[in-house]
């Protein structure tokens, strides 16, 4: 079996890293999600999110290509993004992209790794598809009390679309905001 592709495409410290004493050069890379590392993604998501994702979720993730990535920090798996495509009602030429999960382990936050994952997703969403529909918008849900996530997505051009009451019924703070970034506007 072939190992997952890892693109160690960044060896320059980020601004956050240059202020930390004694920090050697780091390597950050994005890896494909494959059957070989799916268990690693499952364990990572168990730590990052208070939701148990079903096997069908992970089966879908294996089919989205560039829209599911694991991020490595000096060869250590520290985060991931998982998206799924949804059909735009009434359109054969457009799809939406839903960010189901995007998370970084707490000790590795503030290194720009979440931004790297999100930028990868957005750049690929904006590429013309080799076949099939184009991505019209990227969207996700965030708990209304998650100020850090709301600030993060706003910084990347996402806007609050609506408040979804009781979206997360299993939590004390059950309301969520639907955030979106429109890539293609239909007339």
């Amino acid at each position: 079996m072939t190992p997952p592709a890892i693109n160690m495409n960044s060896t320059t410290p980020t601004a956050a890293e240059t202020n930390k004493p004694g920090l050697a050069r780091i390597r950050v890379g994005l890896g494909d999600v494959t059957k070989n590392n799916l268990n690693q993604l499952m364990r990572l998501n168990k730590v990052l999110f208070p939701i148990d994702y079903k096997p069908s979720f992970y089966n879908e993730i294996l089919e989205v290509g560039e829209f599911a990535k694991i991020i490595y920090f000096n060869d250590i798996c520290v985060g991931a993004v998982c998206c799924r495509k949804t059909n735009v009602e009434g359109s054969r030429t457009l799809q939406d992209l839903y960010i189901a999960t995007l998370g970084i382990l707490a000790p590795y936050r503030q290194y720009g790794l979440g931004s790297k994952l999100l930028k990868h997703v957005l750049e690929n969403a904006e590429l013309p598809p080799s076949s099939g529909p184009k991505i019209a918008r990227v969207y996700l849900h965030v708990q209304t009390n998650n100020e850090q996530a709301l600030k993060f997505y706003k910084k990347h051009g996402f806007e609050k679309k609506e408040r979804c009451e009781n979206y997360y019924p299993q939590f004390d703070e059950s309301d969520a905001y639907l955030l979106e970034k429109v890539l293609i506007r239909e007339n």
Side-chain angles (χ1 to χ4, degrees), residues 2-172:
T2 59
I6 299 173
N7 179 11
M8 291 299 193
N9 55 7
S10 175
T11 57
T12 306
T14 64
E17 296 158 356
T18 56
N19 296 329
K20 297 189 178 184
L23 223 177
R25 291 178 80 73
I26 59 162
R27 290 181 305 148
V28 173
L30 299 180
D32 295 333
V33 175
T34 68
K35 288 181 181 182
N36 295 333
N37 63 11
L38 197 57
N39 284 333
Q40 192 174 33
L41 175 64
M42 289 175 176
R43 285 191 300 273
L44 185 64
N45 280 348
K46 274 193 181 295
V47 171
L48 290 170
F49 306 107
I51 297 171
D52 254 343
Y53 292 96
K54 297 185 180 344
S56 60
F57 171 81
Y58 292 103
N59 290 335
E60 282 183 44
I61 295 309
L62 289 172
E63 303 300 320
V64 296
E66 292 300 312
F67 299 115
K69 290 292 181 185
I70 294 175
I71 194 160
Y72 296 88
F73 184 94
N74 287 342
D75 299 328
I76 301 167
C77 172
V78 297
V81 63
C82 300
C83 304
R84 70 174 171 261
K85 294 178 183 177
T86 60
N87 293 323
V88 172
E89 191 173 322
S91 178
R92 291 184 187 174
T93 61
L94 297 176
Q95 285 185 319
D96 288 335
L97 188 68
Y98 183 72
I99 299 176
T101 64
L102 189 156
I104 303 293
L105 294 173
Y108 298 93
R109 294 181 188 151
Q110 305 305 315
Y111 287 104
L113 303 176
S115 291
K116 187 171 188 72
L117 283 171
L118 185 57
K119 286 177 185 176
H120 176 84
V121 166
L122 294 173
E123 287 170 2
N124 279 278
E126 292 174 340
L127 290 175
S130 56
S131 65
K134 294 179 182 178
I135 304 293
R137 72 177 178 138
V138 180
Y139 70 108
L140 66 142
H141 290 91
V142 173
Q143 281 180 293
T144 55
N145 66 344
N146 191 341
E147 293 297 326
Q148 186 178 8
L150 291 168
K151 183 179 172 184
F152 171 80
Y153 287 108
K154 182 178 181 180
K155 179 176 88 172
H156 290 284
F158 284 78
E159 297 177 357
K160 288 180 190 174
K161 178 76 172 164
E162 65 183 78
R163 185 181 183 113
C164 305
E165 292 187 18
N166 206 30
Y167 185 81
Y168 297 108
Q170 68 272 40
F171 302 123
D172 290 338

